[in-house]
Amino acid sequence: MASYKPTRIQTFPQLGEKVTQDTLYWRNYKAPVQIKEFGAVTKVDFSPLSPYNYAVTASTRIQIYGPYSQEPVRSFTRFKDTAYSGTFRSDGQLLVAGSEEALIRLFDVSGRVALREYTGHNKAVHFTDFSADRFRILSGSDDYTCRLWDIATSTELGRYGEHTDYVRCGTPSRLNPDLFITGSYDHTVKVFDVRNERSVMTMDHGQPVESVLLFPSEGLLVSAGGRYVKVWDMLKGGQVLVSLKNHHKTVTCLCMSGAGQRLLSGSLDRHVKIYSTTTYKVVHNFNYAASILSIAVAPDEESIVVGMTNGVLSVKHKKHTQDQKPAGSGSKRRPAYRVFVKGKNYMPKQDDFLVRKQEKVNLQPYDKQLKSFQVSKALDSVLKPHVRLKMPEVTVAVIQELNRRGTLRNALAGRDEKGLSILLSFLIRNIVDSRFAPILVTVAEMVLDIYMKVVGQSAVVDKQILKLQELIEKEIDYQQELMEVLGMIDTLFATITTKKESASLQSQAVNGLAEVRGEQDQRVKAT
Amino acid sequence: MRNRGSPRERESQRTKFTGQVDKMVASVEVRVARCGGSRINFIEPIITLDSRFLLCASGDEVHVYSTNTEERVHILQGHTDLVTGLRLNPSNHLQVYSCSLDGTVKLWDFTDALLIKTYVVRYKIFSLYVSKNHAGTVFIILPMAGNTNTESYQLVALHLPKTTGPEVEATEILSVLSDVSPIQRATSFGRGGEFIASANGVQLTVYFFRNQKTYRRVGSSTDKKGAKNRFTCVSCHPKDDCIATGHEDGKIRLWQVQLRNFNQKKEYTYSTDHWHHSAVNALHFTPEGTELLSGGVESVLVLWRYEASTKKDFVPRLGSAIDHISVSPDGSLYCTSHRDNKIVVMKSSRDIAAVIQGLVKGVYNDIRTDLLIDPRTKALVCNGKPGHLQFYSLRHDKQLYNLDIVQQEYIHESGLHQYEVTKAAIDAQGSWLATVEERQENAELDISLKLWAYDETTQSFQLNTTISMPHEGQISAMCFSSCSETTMLVTTGQDGHFKAWLLANSPNAQDEGASWSCDFVGSYHHRKPSRCCFSADGSLLAVSFTEVVTLWSLSSWELLVTFSQPPGEIRDLCFGRLSCSKYLLGTTTKNLLCCWNLLTCSLEWSSAVDVILLQPDPLSENVAAFSLTSGNVDLFVFKPSEPRPLFSQKAVCSGSVRRAVFAPREEMLDSCDESTQWLNRSQLYFLTERVELMTFCTKSEEDQIMASSKQLVIDDSVAVTPFYLLLGKHRKSQRETQDTISNQTTARMQLPQGSTTIRELLHTPAHVLPSASFLCNMFVSSLLISKSGVREDGSCREEEMESENEEEAAEQESEGEMEAGVQGPTVQGFMTELTPQLSKAQERELRKLRKTDFSWVGTLLDS
């Protein structure tokens, strides 16, 4: 007739982080490789060409690393003071860098000595980049100006002095060689057109701007400054599209991944947040050991490089699933197709009597024992270490089932010192868990009832019973405190609500408090 | 508020209400009828000799089921009280005896559902036994000395007089045993009918027919292991002198009975087998005597090998406690009758062959959920087996399916605290089902609220969300929002809160989908809520807190207004519907029925009636109120707009009414009579205190049912086979047309003839139908419109005949495949036409014969 219904294991909603596609994707990076640099890493830039080397600007050097090597492929050390903003040209052949000495240097990636030096800025140059046509260099400096240089002749083509504070960041347009955007500590982001003398668009970020970034489509602009990341709609004349406030310290760097699908922001609060560019919600979060100054994602997304204030460069490489696959599939050969279809395609003849084999149901060991009413054995099998430590909900479910069947006392009785100490250690571990408390309190009472006579015979058991007592006393104190807090909150709510809003506010309060109260009551019951 | 106004006004309204009642009582158009769902497990079912049919008593009817298809084949109607015994006639295996509390023994032909004979005894008969050795005699159990009040019964032999006539007075009664148990299973015939064994209490009595002596063996009731060795059932070995007895402590004793030594006090021998942990309810030997079957509360059928009782087989998890066991005469089928109104037919290879399930009325005759109507299947939904909800088709008196709510192994042991489904609600579209299950042990209450989504692919409800401990106390009421846009559930708990639950999509879309979560928690001055109700448009929620009714706006969760009519707590609450949706009705424990107007926020009217149950009709404005007056229940049907009942009936039933529900009708009635109009759209069902399902039916409806049943009787007088349905119908319809001429009134029945054939065809299981190609021919021809009805002109007829002859000639050339039966629908018609038609058929036969003859002759000549 009806088959045996297995014990129902109650599942509880996961309170922690929800596993989404994004978390799965971002977790697919290996543990980071740490490389110690000489000073704070202020800029990381990937070469746009395969094999995607990256230039790391730290202290007075710029070092170029290969995708998997931990030793630099090349390093440029001819800086007398701190170097800034080592950036590749779009053909990956040239590298430009500013420095504290107000100089801009241009390097050949394969060479060692600077090809050109551009002088003209009065103060440190924090931002350098190439224009889209590859013939010009942009720079932004602490002398409040940004300038445009011709690469070959090292002459200054233009000077824009509209900013009223340090220019610390900028980006050229990839689609239009004449457009570039700069961000400054005067809280503004300005769009310049080389063909015009003055800026064509100004956006007020509200905070000193640390980083600006254009979307691949260049319709949207992202700026970071203070705790805010703001997205601007360029086509609507610089309207703010969305303002994100997910960091609790200054956001220092921005970068784009997956052809504009995800936006990454690094901050001094040691977090990297990943936003979806469709919803602008945080979809994932990385933690690092120190404040983050720079971040970059490889064009093929094989690695994420983060530079920090303590001079540590952290490189995360992507896991490759095919690495493990051959080992797994090779060891176990599946039976051939023949085996599966064997006898299945046999057509019964007219007088054949069909004998059906009963479908075999796979039952857990405890279910098998419960099915045959072996209660003590069922309890033993869920008190095995791998169950009681890893899946306490299974143990509790079986205990609940035994209680429902009225045979819990029989199952608990008749244990020796070892068995009892296992049971007690399980209780100590789980009795204050609000999910399990109601039933485990019953169990504890029963255990004390049954084994009252043998108290004092075993040192181990006595110790555990004392521990249990201590635990429960602590829990009672905790509950009392919680109740006091609840009383205080109630009085607060009673006093602040005005007459009109009383209904809605109180209901909300009740709504919020009901959960707390429910949990509390549970805990009180537990004690 | 108007209720605070002049008391005289209120008084006048009240008198008006009651005055109207007296006037309306006279109506007899509407009758209370018991509807289906009676117990089929009351007595042991029997299986016919050929194992094709199973007979069981169901209330005052006997039902005949097919053992292969579980379909009900016949209903044997005739008894006027509970049927208490059923036995096959030992001298004719196509006949069956039945006895009833109405004091008659009836002999039936069950294959044709015909009553052959009625023997009138005039005493209540409690049980019936027959034996092959005692032809012409049946053994029945009657109350001692005809006194119904005493608790003692006697077994008597009733000689059946051989006089002809449908009703015979049977007066020849011979007492066999006195002081027996009235329970059927406590008495059994021994080998070849030589003796009869009966057990009562701790005493086993054996009566030998040969020397007509009675031997008693009285066990000690003060056994040292406690007085639990009372007999519960007896079964005798069919080939051996052995009596098996079941005991209350779960033991089975096998007594070796010999005529010689049973009387000597010490020389009876018995062996004991023990497996059951509680009382053995049923015992039965197989016809060959090789196995003994036993069953009890454990709901495990135990098969003991006779003479080797250490070897036993089990058929576990039969669902519910076994009450009766019977075995087919050839031993190929076992049949167990269960406490949850179920009969399981099982092959001797332990495979389940059929399950016949009646309306389950709870193990303890207790339905805790409200009666609900599933909008999809129009089935009645209520508690079924423990931990289940049953979906019961009221129309077909048949259980559709069981939904497992608790999803836990049921432990069949008395005294255990089990999970029980206490509340259930279905939303208006039938896409969500909410259930509450609870289990109370000592002070610990375990409640969970489950929400089930209707799955289109599997056509059943799938568990969506489980909420454990939704309230700290018991849930007192639960209802779904009647609005179609948002699905909202409101529960009220004894913890003083009411909670609204909403279907919410989980924040990340990749998750498994929407689940339910709490949207709002409300309370009112720490009072306990008792009832909740949504308005028809789903914009207002009414929750009653003891004496106060609170109205909440669903959009803002604001408390809008409160009503109260102290003293007396609110017992029931419902909103008016359709044109009366501005009214809110409430009943209080202090005999008051109040109607509040929601627009003016005042009391519209009130009436002093002790309403125990208020039930709104979902399809009309009507509200049914059951009121209790001096032990009897009266029904009032009224519209909330006026304090005047549309219909009222006094003394609907004795005792209280527990639950009621309006079930929508499949076809609307078009009664214009004021007193029956309220039954046009839906039908009112209610459960009495003794858990009987009753309904109200109108006279015209009854007439219709009677008419259709008459038609059925005619149909069933010949064995119903699919071939009969196709071929015999046509022949009969010819007969009916003759009737039509004589009696024009039955013309209506003849009309849907084709459609009933189709219906029967569709209802017949596919595996018993003839091949589709054969049926198709029939089907198409049955759809043809008969021309014969139109033709009246003689000359025209002749022409037609000629053309038909031509057709036939043509058909004969094409191998003459046409069959006579196919011609049926065109052939049928007026009686006057029959003669030429027949001659034509004969002619055709002749022609056919002639043709074949020719070929024969030809071959002969050639050879």
Side-chain angles (χ1 to χ4, degrees):
Chain A
M1 187 69 189
S3 55
Y4 175 82
K5 290 174 198 157
T7 311
R8 186 180 54 177
I9 311 292
Q10 202 159 18
T11 51
F12 296 93
Q14 294 246 323
L15 292 174
E17 198 184 345
K18 288 259 171 20
V19 177
T20 61
Q21 289 285 315
D22 272 290
T23 44
L24 289 178
Y25 177 83
W26 294 109
R27 266 186 208 159
N28 197 25
Y29 283 93
K30 291 180 206 165
V33 177
Q34 309 265 352
I35 302 167
K36 182 71 183 154
E37 292 289 332
F38 294 97
V41 181
T42 54
K43 173 85 181 176
V44 180
D45 190 44
F46 271 95
S47 159
L49 292 189
S50 183
Y52 308 119
N53 293 337
Y54 52 93
V56 175
T57 313
S59 183
T60 57
R61 311 176 172 222
I62 296 175
Q63 291 184 315
I64 298 178
Y65 291 89
Y68 294 108
S69 70
Q70 293 193 36
E71 290 300 311
V73 179
R74 197 162 295 281
S75 70
F76 304 99
T77 51
R78 299 290 174 87
F79 292 96
K80 296 192 179 67
D81 210 334
T82 316
Y84 295 112
S85 183
T87 311
F88 281 104
R89 198 163 79 166
S90 60
D91 59 357
Q93 298 295 322
L94 295 179
L95 185 89
V96 71
S99 86
E100 194 68 38
E101 352 157 38
L103 276 176
I104 302 163
R105 288 189 173 85
L106 180 78
F107 298 94
D108 185 355
V109 171
S110 51
R112 189 169 287 276
V113 192
L115 293 176
R116 295 277 191 284
E117 285 189 358
Y118 305 93
T119 48
H121 280 297
N122 307 327
K123 284 189 176 165
V125 181
H126 276 267
F127 149 62
T128 56
D129 208 333
F130 294 94
S131 71
D133 61 5
R134 299 188 196 165
F135 306 133
R136 287 174 287 185
I137 288 173
L138 300 167
S139 64
S141 162
D142 284 358
D143 61 4
Y144 306 169
T145 62
C146 33
R147 302 182 194 207
L148 191 70
W149 310 85
D150 185 57
I151 288 180
T153 60
S154 23
T155 49
E156 187 182 307
L157 296 176
R159 180 189 299 185
Y160 307 92
E162 280 185 37
H163 284 295
T164 53
D165 208 333
Y166 302 155
V167 181
R168 283 286 167 93
C169 58
T171 180
S173 158
R174 301 271 167 229
L175 302 179
N176 187 340
D178 294 329
L179 275 183
F180 68 97
I181 296 151
T182 55
S184 155
Y185 273 17
D186 64 359
H187 301 188
T188 60
V189 176
K190 286 183 189 284
V191 182
F192 292 98
D193 192 333
V194 179
R195 295 161 292 192
N196 279 1
E197 286 291 308
R198 302 196 54 81
S199 66
V200 291
M201 205 184 278
T202 305
M203 286 155 275
D204 187 13
H205 182 83
Q207 308 277 335
V209 182
E210 298 282 354
S211 179
V212 291
L213 185 72
L214 269 174
F215 269 67
S217 67
E218 305 202 342
L220 296 176
L221 173 78
V222 191
S223 64
R227 294 163 58 196
Y228 295 91
V229 173
K230 289 188 179 177
V231 182
W232 310 86
D233 193 340
M234 302 281 278
L235 303 176
K236 272 193 180 168
Q239 264 186 6
V240 115
L241 187 72
V242 66
S243 175
L244 305 168
K245 189 184 159 192
N246 294 93
H247 289 282
H248 56 267
K249 281 188 184 169
T250 303
V251 184
T252 52
C253 49
L254 292 170
C255 102
M256 210 43 106
S257 132
Q261 297 293 311
R262 296 284 180 268
L263 174 71
L264 287 81
S265 69
S267 155
L268 294 179
D269 64 2
R270 298 182 288 126
H271 290 294
V272 170
K273 306 256 178 197
I274 300 163
Y275 310 85
S276 157
T277 51
T278 46
T279 59
Y280 294 104
K281 292 264 162 60
V282 175
V283 293
H284 197 70
N285 185 24
F286 287 125
N287 287 342
Y288 283 92
S291 299
I292 296 160
L293 288 180
S294 56
I295 183 169
V297 178
D300 57 354
E301 299 186 24
E302 280 298 304
S303 46
I304 304 170
V305 185
V306 167
M308 287 171 273
T309 46
N310 59 357
V312 173
L313 184 72
S314 157
V315 187
K316 280 185 175 183
H317 292 289
K318 208 177 202 171
K319 277 182 206 163
H320 286 285
T321 43
Q322 58 262 43
D323 296 348
Q324 303 125 9
K325 236 183 190 172
S329 61
S331 62
K332 203 174 166 187
R333 231 187 119 225
R334 293 273 169 85
Y337 174 70
R338 240 189 7 251
V339 178
F340 287 112
V341 294
K342 193 176 177 185
K344 288 275 167 67
N345 46 9
Y346 178 79
M347 292 298 286
K349 298 206 179 73
Q350 198 170 21
D351 295 329
D352 281 356
F353 183 75
L354 190 70
V355 181
R356 259 179 228 287
K357 216 204 263 176
Q358 259 200 340
E359 257 180 72
K360 205 179 166 194
V361 191
N362 247 339
L363 288 179
Q364 294 290 324
Y366 56 85
D367 267 331
K368 277 183 197 158
Q369 283 143 354
L370 282 175
K371 192 180 168 187
S372 51
F373 294 87
Q374 295 171 311
V375 287
S376 285
K377 278 190 182 164
L379 187 59
D380 284 342
S381 68
V382 289
L383 281 176
K384 280 178 185 157
H386 67 276
V387 182
R388 89 180 122 96
L389 298 178
K390 286 194 182 145
M391 301 176 280
E393 66 273 7
V394 173
T395 313
V396 171
V398 169
I399 290 174
Q400 235 154 5
E401 174 70 16
L402 291 172
N403 187 37
R404 188 177 73 87
R405 292 177 173 215
T407 48
L408 183 56
R409 189 174 281 270
N410 303 5
L412 290 173
R415 284 172 189 275
D416 56 1
E417 184 187 346
K418 202 177 155 207
L420 185 59
S421 88
I422 289 175
L423 194 62
L424 283 172
S425 67
F426 178 75
L427 285 178
I428 290 167
R429 205 182 155 95
N430 292 301
I431 199 164
V432 291
D433 192 329
S434 63
R435 300 177 292 173
F436 309 141
I439 180 70
L440 289 187
V441 168
T442 323
V443 172
E445 278 172 1
M446 276 190 192
V447 166
L448 291 180
D449 275 359
I450 296 167
Y451 297 101
M452 189 112 74
K453 288 173 211 145
V454 296
V455 168
Q457 288 182 11
S458 153
V460 183
V461 171
D462 289 356
K463 208 173 150 192
Q464 279 179 316
I465 290 177
L466 283 178
K467 202 172 168 190
L468 190 65
Q469 187 190 4
E470 205 177 298
L471 191 70
I472 288 171
E473 275 168 8
K474 216 189 266 177
E475 186 67 16
I476 292 173
D477 290 344
Y478 176 54
Q479 290 304 323
Q480 208 158 3
E481 265 174 56
L482 274 181
M483 290 304 278
E484 281 166 15
V485 171
L486 192 70
M488 283 186 244
I489 294 172
D490 274 346
T491 14
L492 279 177
F493 273 119
T495 48
I496 56 168
T497 46
T498 54
K499 187 143 184 5
K500 178 62 201 155
E501 286 168 26
S502 64
S504 59
L505 243 172
Q506 201 165 15
S507 65
Q508 271 169 14
V510 167
N511 197 358
L513 284 176
E515 322 285 294
V516 179
R517 196 177 277 160
E519 196 181 335
Q520 271 207 338
D521 289 353
Q522 241 171 0
R523 278 165 183 262
V524 168
K525 245 190 256 163
T527 56
Chain B
M1 282 206 314
R2 201 179 291 180
N3 56 343
R4 295 209 192 103
S6 67
R8 190 182 293 162
E9 187 188 8
R10 249 188 298 163
E11 208 53 54
S12 68
Q13 277 179 346
R14 283 183 194 177
T15 47
K16 198 174 159 195
F17 197 93
T18 45
Q20 204 67 35
V21 169
D22 294 326
K23 216 197 292 174
M24 300 291 289
V25 168
S27 71
V28 285
E29 280 285 300
V30 178
R31 198 178 72 91
V32 179
R34 190 174 295 174
C35 78
S38 37
R39 284 180 64 185
I40 57 171
N41 61 347
F42 182 65
I43 57 162
E44 184 182 312
I46 55 173
I47 301 176
T48 59
L49 197 66
D50 55 1
S51 304
R52 278 180 57 212
F53 298 109
L54 179 133
L55 283 80
C56 66
S58 168
D60 45 12
E61 297 165 349
V62 177
H63 290 186
V64 184
Y65 290 94
S66 161
T67 51
N68 288 323
T69 61
E70 310 174 13
E71 198 86 7
R72 187 165 56 209
V73 186
H74 295 300
I75 301 173
L76 312 182
Q77 282 169 316
H79 282 293
T80 53
D81 206 341
L82 212 60
V83 176
T84 51
L86 264 183
R87 293 286 160 179
L88 285 177
N89 186 355
S91 47
N92 183 350
H93 65 85
L94 295 177
Q95 292 176 350
V96 67
Y97 285 113
S98 71
C99 71
S100 156
L101 289 183
D102 62 3
T104 57
V105 174
K106 288 183 195 263
L107 182 65
W108 307 83
D109 182 343
F110 58 82
T111 47
D112 298 340
L114 285 181
L115 176 62
I116 299 172
K117 224 165 203 180
T118 305
Y119 303 99
V120 182
V121 183
R122 300 202 187 286
Y123 300 112
K124 282 189 175 181
I125 306 172
F126 288 89
S127 196
L128 175 79
Y129 306 93
V130 293
S131 162
K132 220 164 199 168
N133 267 16
H134 305 272
T137 312
V138 295
F139 294 83
I140 53 177
I141 291 179
L142 304 176
M144 212 58 162
N147 189 351
T148 48
N149 291 335
T150 54
E151 286 294 305
S152 58
Y153 301 88
Q154 56 180 343
L155 179 75
V156 298
L158 175 74
H159 183 76
L160 302 174
K162 289 232 158 53
T163 47
T164 49
E167 197 162 317
V168 184
E169 197 92 8
T171 47
E172 213 173 309
I173 292 174
L174 194 74
S175 177
V176 177
L177 284 174
S178 59
D179 194 20
V180 295
S181 158
I183 301 163
Q184 192 191 21
R185 55 189 177 224
T187 305
S188 172
F189 263 107
R191 179 176 70 159
E194 279 181 15
F195 61 90
I196 190 163
S198 179
N200 191 14
V202 291
Q203 134 187 320
L204 178 68
T205 319
V206 180
Y207 177 82
F208 290 92
F209 289 101
R210 205 189 304 165
N211 56 3
Q212 303 201 335
K213 275 192 178 160
T214 308
Y215 301 100
R216 271 170 211 274
R217 190 262 164 188
V218 183
S220 58
S221 58
T222 51
D223 205 74
K224 63 182 169 190
K225 284 178 184 169
K228 291 208 87 184
N229 56 352
R230 292 164 64 92
F231 291 98
T232 52
C233 50
V234 172
S235 178
C236 296
H237 196 280
K239 301 266 164 87
D240 206 351
D241 286 323
C242 175
I243 305 173
T245 57
H247 294 263
E248 231 168 51
D249 55 357
K251 285 183 179 143
I252 297 170
R253 293 197 177 132
L254 294 165
W255 306 76
Q256 298 302 323
V257 190
Q258 255 111 49
L259 190 58
R260 275 164 270 106
N261 64 8
F262 198 74
N263 54 350
Q264 284 146 23
K265 261 207 163 173
K266 304 242 165 111
E267 283 193 35
Y268 53 81
T269 53
Y270 68 82
S271 57
T272 308
D273 293 324
H274 196 177
W275 182 87
H276 295 277
H277 65 65
S278 43
V280 182
N281 275 351
L283 269 180
H284 208 290
F285 274 106
T286 54
E288 291 304 312
T290 50
E291 276 181 329
L292 173 66
L293 281 67
S294 71
V297 184
E298 304 86 356
S299 75
V300 178
L301 181 68
V302 188
L303 302 105
W304 308 80
R305 210 68 61 78
Y306 183 61
E307 305 280 65
S309 54
T310 46
K311 286 182 182 167
K312 47 187 182 283
D313 271 334
F314 304 101
V315 185
R317 278 181 282 283
L318 285 169
S320 179
I322 296 173
D323 273 344
H324 307 279
I325 297 171
S326 60
V327 182
S328 72
D330 59 356
S332 64
L333 293 179
Y334 302 153
C335 171
T336 53
S337 166
H338 296 264
R339 200 159 292 169
D340 59 354
N341 212 5
K342 177 175 74 175
I343 297 173
V344 175
V345 182
M346 159 177 0
K347 290 177 192 150
S348 48
S349 59
R350 331 285 191 254
D351 293 333
I352 306 290
V355 178
I356 296 158
Q357 175 81 65
L359 179 69
V360 187
K361 290 170 179 171
V363 179
Y364 307 106
N365 241 11
D366 177 27
I367 290 187
R368 295 184 68 180
T369 60
D370 283 329
L371 297 182
L372 302 169
I373 296 293
D374 177 22
R376 283 177 198 266
T377 55
K378 306 279 183 287
L380 181 76
V381 183
C382 60
N383 273 136
K385 293 197 291 183
H388 288 66
L389 273 189
Q390 62 178 334
F391 286 68
Y392 192 83
S393 167
L394 289 165
R395 212 173 135 76
H396 301 107
D397 188 19
K398 189 174 159 188
Q399 192 182 58
L400 298 180
Y401 63 95
N402 252 319
L403 185 67
D404 187 358
I405 300 296
V406 174
Q407 297 183 326
Q408 275 181 346
E409 181 76 1
Y410 187 79
I411 305 299
H412 296 277
E413 198 179 310
S414 48
L416 270 189
H417 302 273
Q418 308 277 10
Y419 276 99
E420 276 185 86
V421 182
T422 54
K423 288 273 179 299
I426 297 185
D427 78 332
Q429 286 79 39
S431 50
W432 287 100
L433 167 73
T435 59
V436 176
E437 64 203 51
E438 67 176 51
R439 173 179 177 270
Q440 188 148 26
E441 189 179 359
N442 309 326
E444 276 176 44
L445 186 68
D446 202 353
I447 304 178
S448 50
L449 172 67
K450 285 182 177 171
L451 286 130
W452 307 75
Y454 190 79
D455 189 359
E456 294 282 351
T457 51
T458 57
Q459 294 285 305
S460 70
F461 286 97
Q462 301 286 329
L463 185 60
N464 178 277
T465 310
T466 308
I467 300 157
S468 55
M469 294 306 283
H471 285 272
E472 293 298 307
Q474 281 183 321
I475 289 181
S476 53
M478 175 164 78
C479 68
F480 268 107
S481 150
S482 42
C483 166
S484 56
E485 285 97 61
T486 52
T487 338
M488 183 186 279
L489 178 76
V490 167
T491 54
T492 61
Q494 298 284 359
D495 56 350
H497 296 293
F498 74 89
K499 294 189 182 182
W501 307 87
L502 263 185
L503 183 66
N505 280 310
S506 50
N508 31 359
Q510 296 94 337
D511 226 20
E512 61 276 331
S515 62
W516 290 74
S517 53
C518 187
D519 183 50
F520 179 74
V521 181
S523 61
Y524 184 79
H525 294 290
H526 301 290
R527 288 169 188 254
K528 282 185 182 174
S530 57
R531 286 271 160 192
C532 60
C533 181
F534 279 100
S535 69
D537 60 347
S539 64
L540 288 176
L541 170 71
V543 184
S544 69
F545 292 89
T546 55
E547 295 114 46
V548 187
V549 181
T550 55
L551 275 183
W552 303 76
S553 148
L554 285 189
S555 49
S556 61
W557 285 118
E558 235 174 311
L559 178 61
L560 298 174
V561 72
T562 59
F563 297 116
S564 103
Q565 201 65 20
E569 296 179 7
I570 301 292
R571 192 187 264 164
D572 243 324
L573 206 60
C574 78
F575 277 97
R577 292 187 188 262
L578 305 172
S579 66
C580 298
S581 54
K582 62 177 177 181
Y583 297 106
L584 173 67
L585 289 165
T587 60
T588 68
T589 49
K590 289 280 191 287
N591 305 351
L592 213 56
L593 170 64
C594 313
C595 176
W596 291 283
N597 188 334
L598 297 175
L599 299 178
T600 59
C601 293
S602 60
L603 187 76
E604 189 85 4
W605 54 268
S606 71
S607 172
V609 196
D610 182 18
V611 178
I612 50 172
L613 198 65
L614 203 62
Q615 186 69 37
D617 182 359
L619 295 178
S620 66
E621 295 98 339
N622 300 330
V623 177
F626 290 92
S627 81
L628 193 61
T629 43
S630 63
N632 275 333
V633 176
D634 302 340
L635 169 78
F636 304 104
V637 180
F638 60 95
K639 283 186 183 173
S641 51
E642 47 189 334
R644 184 184 69 86
L646 293 170
F647 170 80
S648 71
Q649 185 160 7
K650 287 223 159 177
V652 167
C653 67
S654 61
S656 174
V657 167
R658 288 195 170 185
R659 316 260 180 230
V661 71
F662 274 101
R665 282 185 193 277
E666 305 232 327
E667 309 159 354
M668 281 216 289
L669 297 182
D670 43 1
S671 156
C672 301
D673 190 2
E674 200 191 352
S675 64
T676 59
Q677 225 168 12
W678 63 281
L679 282 170
N680 276 359
R681 283 161 174 274
S682 38
Q683 201 167 1
L684 180 63
Y685 290 89
F686 63 94
L687 264 186
T688 62
E689 206 169 31
R690 284 179 294 167
V691 203
E692 285 166 316
L693 193 64
M694 309 278 228
T695 186
F696 289 90
C697 55
T698 61
K699 210 166 195 178
S700 58
E701 196 185 0
E702 262 175 63
D703 291 344
Q704 248 176 15
I705 291 167
M706 288 294 279
S708 65
S709 71
K710 249 182 216 160
Q711 196 185 10
L712 268 177
V713 167
I714 296 164
D715 286 354
D716 295 346
S717 59
V718 187
V720 185
T721 61
F723 294 103
Y724 161 75
L725 290 176
L726 292 163
L727 304 172
K729 275 277 163 69
H730 297 301
R731 233 153 270 155
K732 183 136 54 63
S733 64
Q734 285 181 347
R735 224 187 306 149
E736 270 174 19
T737 42
Q738 292 165 21
D739 294 347
T740 321
I741 296 156
S742 59
N743 186 7
Q744 284 294 329
T745 49
T746 48
R748 257 185 74 213
M749 284 191 282
Q750 195 240 335
L751 249 168
Q753 222 275 315
S755 64
T756 49
T757 318
I758 293 160
R759 206 170 55 221
E760 299 274 8
L761 189 75
L762 293 176
H763 280 195
T764 318
H767 61 275
V768 299
L769 279 177
S771 72
S773 57
F774 179 71
L775 284 176
C776 183
N777 228 341
M778 301 266 130
F779 177 67
V780 171
S781 59
S782 75
L783 288 181
L784 291 175
I785 300 160
S786 162
K787 285 182 198 162
S788 54
V790 197
R791 275 181 277 124
E792 279 181 1
D793 201 346
S795 61
C796 178
R797 194 169 65 222
E798 275 166 27
E799 272 175 31
E800 188 66 30
M801 271 173 60
E802 272 170 26
S803 69
E804 270 179 17
N805 278 337
E806 279 165 23
E807 271 171 30
E808 268 172 33
E811 276 162 13
Q812 275 186 343
E813 277 159 23
S814 63
E815 303 299 322
E817 276 178 357
M818 200 70 162
E819 286 175 52
V822 185
Q823 206 73 359
T826 50
V827 168
Q828 72 176 38
F830 291 99
M831 196 169 55
T832 47
E833 274 187 341
L834 282 172
T835 4
Q837 293 281 6
L838 275 172
S839 70
K840 190 187 73 182
Q842 282 168 353
E843 211 174 274
R844 199 176 50 191
E845 279 303 304
L846 279 172
R847 254 189 256 166
K848 248 186 210 170
L849 278 172
R850 207 166 54 199
K851 198 176 182 184
T852 46
D853 272 350
F854 276 141
S855 65
W856 267 102
V857 172
T859 47
L860 276 170
L861 281 171
D862 283 339
S863 66

